Amino acid sequence: MTDSIFALGGIALLAVLAALIGVRPLRRAVISKPLFASYRKVLPQMSDTERDALEAGTVWWEGELFRGKPDWQKLHAYPQPKLTADEQAFMDNEVEEACRLVDDWKVTHELYDLPNAAWRYIKDKGFLGMIIPKKYGGLEFSAYAHSQIVTKLSTRSSALSVSVMVPNSLGPAELLLHYGTEEQKNHYLPRLAKGIEVPAFALTSPWAGSDAASIPDAGVVCKGMYQGREVLGMRVSFDKRYITLAPVCTVFGLAFHLYDPDGLLGGEKHVGITCALVPYDHPGVDTGRRHFPLNAMFMNGPVRGTDVFMPLDFIIGGPKKAGQGWRMLMECLAAGRSISLPSSNTGMAQMTARAVGGYARVRSQFKMAVGKFEGVEEALTRIGAYTYMMDATRTMTAGAIDLGEKPSVVSAIAKYHVTERARQVVNDGMDVVGGKGICLGPSNFIGRAYQQIPIGITVEGANILTRSLIIFGQGAIRCHPFLLAEMQAAQNEDTKQGLVDFDKALWGHVAFTIRNGLRALWLGMTGSHFVAVNVDTAPEMKRYYQQMTRFSAAFAFLSDISLLVLGGSVKRREKLSARLGDILSQMYLISCTLKRYEVEGRVKEDAPLAHWAIWDSMYKAQEAMDGVIANFPNRFIGSFLYRSIFPWGHPYVVPSDHVGHKVAKTLIAPSATRDRLTAECYLPKVETEAVGAIELALLATLEAEPIEAKIREAEKAGRFENNPRANVRDIATVAAECGIITTAEAEVMRRRNHLRDIVVRVDDFPFDFNVATANKPATSRQAA
């Protein structure tokens, strides 16, 4: 009897809860209203700069990954970026010639700048105006073409690529196109397109680096003299550093806080962050000095000025755009960040894969090519697979810009993970090359890249900050289907409408969390084997789509529980936020890799590159989930999350050595796969160039390997016993003298040995590196 009463009571309670939730007015009054009131109290007030940063840009594929059930048809429907005939011709001719004009050793060690011929060429051929429309004299290239060009230039010289990259990224041209007055556009854009003007953009302050909104640079609205007459303007003081192209710029964008204490503009006294366009020779402006960023000789330096008077017409967009600078910067940031560093670092990785792979076949130790040692294979595998994934990410992200997107979260993911993988790729390349890599000189093809890797890690949002604050911090609010709607409802000044909107978003959020929790558990229990993939895909890749759906559900559930339990403190728990961002990032990288494999025609020979990269990312995503759960402040909830997401334990392991072996083999022998992997590399064809020598030596090595096998057999048979010349360097010559190989074969070996010796050569210099003076002895012996 008692059990029946309790059962009836339970049923009645469930009925009441169902009624409360199901009947919207009742639910709103009893549950949502008090939650709405509490939420309004605890929700921190958002500053204008935070709101601008949050609302800038668009949500793209990353929104699908947040849903818990990605629509793979959307991924496959994105068009493959392609070059137009004009863009391809520019790549094949102008870009090739620009690369030829630059010798990176001379740039970094002798000239400390690009040669004059290269500067003239990139200005005359429109490299500085790729994003400017044709009606202003620009090339009007696509974002993908911009990315392709920067990638190729980066395989030759960082000074060359950065000098082209910056004018086409966040800066005067981009800001003028979106916000400039017609007068500003008509004056500046044709001059920028033709290289008559060289632009820079001055944002970073010594006292506000990553926290750019806190710049102390300020201007005050006042009257002053300009070109012989009194005008309304601004008196601005500024101290900027790290400004690329500043030492050679003719005009620069300037970000500063504008104040109007006398109400001359008729509005707020603190007008807000403002962007102005300032000629380099304007009275009071100080440019020309340089920084020295790790031997990278792109122009970079400070911009300073004290009480510099400038008319209001200098403001980009004119006086009506005063105070809108931060929003302008945030809205334009995604495009530049999606292209610049992902492209330049992918170019660096492509060249590393090409040159180090060739070197590892040419260079031998213990009578075997070093690239065939398993330890070296491990490094080559990472180089190849990471380069494949980096290029996939670069291409898909640039394609988003051409679709009209401004993907703020995706651009942060691409910037962070492409530069971090580039760091690993170049480090691995240095390990393979060994002593040759650490001795700088014209024969060293990787040393400068190794030096300059931290630059990409640091600029356009330091990687530590990007990972710990931006990717998930911004992604959760922008990409979550309900979170932003809840925040906007709570901040609605019309509380009645705010409650209606909050109620709708809240219960949609509750249902969303429950669905993803149940889906994560089900997919964990079944290993995602029964997931229906709603798109035609390569059979060898189908399981990844299923596993990615599992990751998406688990990530959405883990994110919601984290936000529910930790609330606003998630922002302060940067380690947890970073790990949640890592999960989202790895899913995006995998998506790009799957997309690449699909659009490139499902080439089976390329599959090992995709397989290894995807398994590596899945394992990293699993590690990130472990990191969140293991450090969850509530251990009971942490245990619940683990059992929900990994009911049978960890399913993902490190990529297999068998697949890694296939990837490494791809790098050390010519093939169509290797050519696709390094398609944007500038490849000189002469032995006097370090990379050209490797290309020629690789072909010569492959031709010589059968002949070398004959010599090894003769050596085993004792044909060279007690011959002191039968050493690793001269044994081919001895074999020819003994008749073991023919004259033609001896010539093949001689050619191989000649090229091999060029490849393994290390540069040396005079004792004083040619900097001795009359008061300084040329050698330490003379000093003694």
Side-chain angles (χ1 to χ4, degrees):
M1 182 69 176
T2 305
D3 289 345
S4 298
I5 292 172
F6 277 122
L8 286 170
I11 292 170
L13 180 61
L14 289 173
V16 171
L17 289 173
L20 283 173
I21 295 171
V23 181
R24 189 169 299 170
L26 187 61
R27 177 188 75 194
R28 190 180 300 154
V30 177
I31 302 176
S32 299
K33 188 173 182 178
L35 288 175
F36 178 65
S38 299
Y39 190 51
R40 281 173 62 89
K41 289 180 182 178
V42 301
L43 187 66
Q45 193 64 33
M46 194 179 298
S47 69
D48 290 340
T49 53
E50 286 178 318
R51 184 177 290 106
D52 288 343
L54 189 60
E55 294 177 354
T58 58
V59 177
W60 190 52
W61 176 249
E62 71 275 28
E64 285 295 313
L65 300 175
F66 247 100
R67 285 180 58 235
K69 191 178 181 181
D71 182 354
W72 297 110
Q73 288 182 342
K74 283 188 177 180
L75 180 69
H76 279 222
Y78 295 140
Q80 179 186 10
K82 292 183 179 179
L83 298 177
T84 65
D86 286 346
E87 291 167 345
Q88 186 62 62
F90 193 85
M91 281 285 291
D92 294 341
N93 297 290
E94 283 84 352
V95 178
E96 193 81 7
E97 176 64 10
C99 290
R100 189 193 66 79
L101 289 171
V102 174
D103 178 328
D104 196 55
W105 175 248
K106 289 183 178 179
V107 167
T108 59
H109 187 69
E110 298 175 14
L111 300 175
Y112 302 107
D113 188 8
L114 292 176
N116 290 334
W119 271 117
R120 282 197 303 272
Y121 190 80
I122 62 176
K123 289 178 180 180
D124 293 345
K125 297 299 181 179
F127 280 84
L128 306 189
M130 293 190 295
I131 66 170
I132 296 175
K134 291 180 180 178
K135 70 177 183 177
Y136 296 110
L139 296 177
E140 200 173 340
F141 280 174
S142 64
Y144 177 60
H146 177 187
S147 176
Q148 288 288 92
I149 291 165
V150 170
T151 301
K152 183 160 189 170
L153 296 177
S154 298
T155 69
R156 183 60 165 170
S157 165
S158 64
L160 177 61
S161 65
V162 172
S163 299
V164 170
M165 180 175 79
V166 168
N168 293 286
S169 184
L170 176 62
E174 177 87 359
L175 294 170
L176 285 170
L177 283 170
H178 288 91
Y179 310 107
T181 65
E182 287 304 310
E183 184 179 359
Q184 289 171 339
K185 290 178 183 178
N186 290 331
H187 174 73
Y188 278 113
L189 290 177
R191 296 172 63 83
L192 289 167
K194 295 174 184 176
I196 298 170
E197 302 280 8
V198 176
F201 191 84
L203 173 62
T204 304
S205 157
W207 303 276
S210 296
D211 184 15
S214 297
I215 51 175
D217 312 285
V220 176
V221 178
C222 62
K223 291 184 178 180
M225 299 301 294
Y226 179 67
Q227 294 183 342
R229 60 190 180 92
E230 186 179 62
V231 298
L232 188 61
M234 312 162 287
R235 198 165 296 282
V236 188
S237 293
F238 49 94
D239 186 352
K240 305 289 191 177
R241 66 180 182 184
Y242 309 147
I243 311 307
T244 302
L245 296 186
V248 295
C249 75
T250 60
V251 63
F252 62 92
L254 177 67
F256 57 94
H257 283 277
L258 182 62
Y259 296 88
D260 184 18
D262 298 328
L264 297 177
L265 297 180
E268 299 287 333
K269 292 189 182 299
H270 179 205
V271 181
I273 293 178
T274 299
C275 292
L277 204 54
V278 186
Y280 83 104
D281 56 357
H282 186 71
V285 170
D286 180 14
T287 64
R289 294 186 65 81
R290 294 179 66 176
H291 299 312
F292 195 48
L294 295 174
N295 286 95
M297 290 305 152
F298 59 85
M299 290 292 168
N300 185 275
V303 177
R304 302 183 179 102
T306 302
D307 290 334
V308 177
F309 181 79
M310 52 188 75
L312 292 179
D313 288 345
F314 277 20
I315 296 174
I316 296 176
K320 67 179 181 179
K321 290 293 184 182
Q324 298 185 35
W326 187 250
R327 174 173 284 275
M328 291 158 60
L329 293 173
M330 291 300 99
E331 288 176 348
C332 291
L333 176 64
R337 193 165 58 182
S338 295
I339 296 170
S340 299
L341 290 169
S343 303
S344 59
N345 280 259
T346 297
M348 197 181 297
Q350 283 196 20
M351 182 51 72
T352 302
R354 185 87 183 193
V356 172
Y359 180 88
R361 187 63 173 266
V362 172
R363 178 66 160 153
S364 63
Q365 296 282 276
F366 306 105
K367 301 178 182 179
M368 184 167 73
V370 298
K372 296 182 179 181
F373 286 89
E374 283 199 2
V376 175
E377 271 194 354
E378 195 169 23
L380 292 175
T381 297
R382 284 191 296 268
I383 292 172
Y386 282 173
T387 299
Y388 184 86
M389 178 172 270
M390 290 163 64
D391 207 10
T393 303
R394 168 191 75 88
T395 300
M396 183 162 143
T397 307
I401 305 300
D402 284 328
L403 294 175
E405 300 288 343
K406 296 180 179 178
S408 54
V409 177
V410 158
S411 67
I413 292 172
K415 187 272 174 182
Y416 174 82
H417 285 277
V418 171
T419 57
E420 287 294 339
R421 277 168 169 73
R423 170 156 45 187
Q424 182 66 61
V425 164
V426 174
N427 282 346
D428 281 330
M430 284 290 286
D431 286 350
V432 174
V433 174
K436 180 180 172 67
I438 64 172
C439 294
L440 291 174
S443 299
N444 189 327
F445 56 87
I446 195 171
R448 290 303 194 202
Y450 180 76
Q451 278 185 296
Q452 295 163 20
I453 273 289
I455 297 173
I457 301 294
T458 303
V459 301
E460 290 193 15
N463 276 10
I464 290 177
L465 176 145
T466 299
R467 175 174 177 259
S468 59
L469 292 180
I470 295 178
I471 294 176
F472 183 76
Q474 190 171 1
I477 298 173
R478 288 306 313 274
C479 303
H480 195 288
F482 300 103
L483 196 58
L484 183 58
E486 291 167 344
M487 294 175 63
Q488 291 171 335
Q491 293 175 335
N492 194 335
E493 294 181 1
D494 182 350
T495 55
K496 187 175 180 180
Q497 183 59 47
L499 175 58
V500 173
D501 296 340
F502 181 79
D503 175 80
K504 180 180 179 182
L506 173 66
W507 294 102
H509 192 162
V510 169
F512 175 79
T513 303
I514 293 171
R515 282 197 305 270
N516 281 319
L518 293 174
R519 186 181 295 119
L521 177 62
W522 169 250
L523 295 179
M525 293 180 69
T526 60
S528 69
H529 284 282
F530 302 112
V531 173
V533 178
N534 66 340
V535 70
D536 175 47
T537 185
E540 62 270 24
M541 297 293 157
K542 181 179 177 181
R543 276 294 292 144
Y544 298 134
Y545 289 84
Q546 294 177 319
Q547 290 162 324
M548 280 283 287
T549 301
R550 175 183 179 180
F551 269 116
S552 179
F555 169 68
F557 183 58
L558 185 58
S559 297
D560 272 329
I561 297 300
S562 299
L563 292 167
L564 175 66
V565 173
L566 301 174
S569 70
V570 168
K571 185 177 179 180
R572 294 188 298 275
R573 294 179 181 269
E574 295 174 21
K575 295 174 186 175
L576 286 179
S577 179
R579 292 172 186 130
L580 288 165
D582 288 343
I583 304 166
L584 176 63
S585 298
Q586 299 300 340
M587 290 193 293
Y588 181 70
L589 298 178
I590 294 170
S591 299
C592 295
T593 305
L594 292 170
K595 176 70 174 176
R596 175 177 185 174
Y597 188 77
E598 190 67 28
V599 299
E600 290 188 352
R602 306 178 182 181
V603 181
K604 294 291 179 66
E605 291 78 11
D606 296 1
L609 293 161
H611 284 309
W612 198 96
I614 291 171
W615 266 103
D616 179 70
S617 280
M618 290 195 301
Y619 182 70
K620 283 182 167 63
Q622 178 181 266
E623 282 188 315
M625 286 186 176
D626 260 356
V628 174
I629 293 169
N631 291 280
F632 214 79
N634 186 306
R635 299 307 307 138
F636 175 78
I637 295 177
S639 179
F640 163 73
L641 287 169
Y642 183 84
R643 293 302 171 194
S644 299
I645 294 171
F646 301 121
W648 310 123
H650 293 146
Y652 302 104
V653 296
V654 296
S656 80
D657 289 343
H658 177 68
V659 175
H661 173 69
K662 293 181 179 179
V663 173
K665 283 182 65 178
T666 297
L667 265 61
I668 64 173
S671 69
T673 294
R674 184 171 182 261
D675 289 342
R676 280 188 293 273
L677 183 67
T678 60
E680 281 66 57
C681 283
Y682 173 72
L683 300 174
K685 306 296 184 185
V686 293
E687 65 183 53
T688 52
E689 293 257 17
V691 174
I694 291 173
E695 289 289 296
L696 296 171
L698 175 60
L699 298 176
T701 297
L702 294 173
E703 186 180 6
E705 281 180 352
I707 305 169
E708 198 162 33
K710 288 172 61 176
I711 296 172
R712 298 293 178 217
E713 288 299 318
E715 186 179 26
K716 289 178 183 178
R719 298 284 298 275
F720 308 127
E721 194 170 348
N722 298 322
N723 190 329
R725 292 173 57 227
N727 55 56
V728 66
R729 185 188 61 209
D730 303 320
I731 193 169
T733 303
V734 176
E737 292 171 354
C738 295
I740 295 169
I741 58 176
T742 66
T743 302
E745 289 173 330
E747 177 57 27
V748 170
M749 293 299 295
R750 187 204 63 78
R751 169 75 173 156
R752 191 287 306 268
N753 290 349
H754 168 72
L755 291 168
R756 175 203 63 197
D757 292 349
I758 293 174
V759 167
V760 302
R761 183 175 63 206
V762 172
D763 300 293
D764 51 60
F765 303 91
F767 180 85
D768 62 351
F769 293 100
N770 291 323
V771 294
T773 67
N775 297 322
K776 179 180 176 183
T779 71
S780 58
R781 293 187 186 89
Q782 292 174 357

